[in-house]
Amino acid sequence: MAVPEGVFATVKDRVVTVKGPRGTLVKSLRHLQLDFAVSQKMKTISAIRWFGYKADVSCLNTALAHIRNMITGVTRGFRFKLRFASAHFPINVGVEGDVIEIRNFLGEKRVRKVPIPSDLKIYRTDPTVTKDELVIEGNDLEEVSKKAAAIHNLCLVKNKDIRKFLDGIYVMTKTNVVQDE
């Protein structure tokens, strides 16, 4: 797999480190029995599985996909946009410090709180441009998608007809922070 200009990748003891213009990402792939080879001169990363069966060799594509996502994260970043859908009670979401507070979901008094990791940027869009939208940005695809899933799972409708009660917070778009020309 080719490494683009401005990105430096190193592998030591199956721990992959990728450095780029947006930051550094480190991922441990020690659970996979693969040999990694990094050529700084040729700007490539290769993974090898010796004497593997079909299931063993399938880990190659998974490992390379993780590294590809890391390279995309340090060059372009990831942005998830979530929308609030409410037919019965308007959902109030506030981002204060390192906590997201979700209030008035289905008219409940309970305040749902989601902690924000320091490496993610979460903010509300301007209501005059797009109403009821939350944006999550970060370099690590796993962290961004985990936080979006945690917010979505916190607002699931229980003990009601889900065909009628479509209220919740849903992932609307998945894009990159830095767009291609």
Side-chain angles (χ1 to χ4, degrees):
M1 175 175 42
V3 178
E5 286 296 321
V7 176
F8 300 100
T10 58
V11 178
K12 182 172 169 93
D13 296 332
R14 291 187 293 212
V15 176
V16 180
T17 305
V18 179
K19 295 178 184 174
R22 290 182 52 89
T24 303
L25 291 176
V26 178
K27 185 167 192 66
S28 174
L29 299 174
R30 295 180 64 82
H31 62 285
L32 301 175
Q33 296 178 352
L34 301 173
D35 285 344
F36 290 98
V38 178
S39 172
Q40 298 295 349
K41 183 179 172 187
M42 301 289 292
K43 299 288 282 181
T44 60
I45 296 177
S46 60
I48 302 164
R49 170 67 173 154
W50 298 98
F51 306 110
Y53 294 103
K54 187 175 181 180
D56 300 329
V57 175
S58 67
C59 294
L60 280 173
N61 290 330
T62 301
L64 292 176
H66 283 303
I67 296 170
R68 197 174 303 116
N69 287 337
M70 291 169 68
I71 291 171
T72 304
V74 298
T75 55
R76 295 170 37 202
F78 295 100
R79 176 185 291 149
F80 280 30
K81 291 184 180 180
L82 290 86
R83 289 292 299 266
F84 318 141
S86 58
H88 299 88
F89 296 95
I91 301 172
N92 298 330
V93 177
V95 180
E96 292 140 14
D98 59 347
V99 173
I100 301 171
E101 291 186 348
I102 302 167
R103 299 176 185 274
N104 201 31
F105 176 68
L106 292 179
E108 296 175 357
K109 296 295 182 190
R110 176 178 161 225
V111 177
R112 293 161 165 83
K113 295 183 180 183
V114 181
I116 302 171
S118 62
D119 56 342
L120 291 183
K121 180 181 174 188
I122 300 181
Y123 58 91
R124 293 277 309 262
T125 56
D126 187 22
T128 58
V129 178
T130 305
K131 189 179 155 195
D132 294 339
E133 187 175 72
L134 185 70
V135 179
I136 304 174
E137 293 179 355
N139 293 343
D140 192 1
L141 177 62
E142 288 187 24
E143 287 295 320
V144 173
S145 58
K146 276 183 190 177
K147 196 50 61 180
I151 294 169
H152 170 74
N153 285 335
L154 208 56
C155 294
L156 291 178
V157 177
K158 308 278 189 193
N159 300 325
K160 290 181 177 51
D161 187 2
I162 59 171
R163 296 171 295 181
K164 200 69 170 166
F165 288 83
L166 299 173
D167 300 20
I169 299 178
Y170 299 99
V171 176
M172 183 178 64
T173 59
K174 302 175 186 180
T175 60
N176 296 105
V177 176
V178 178
Q179 299 296 329
D180 289 336
E181 289 82 37

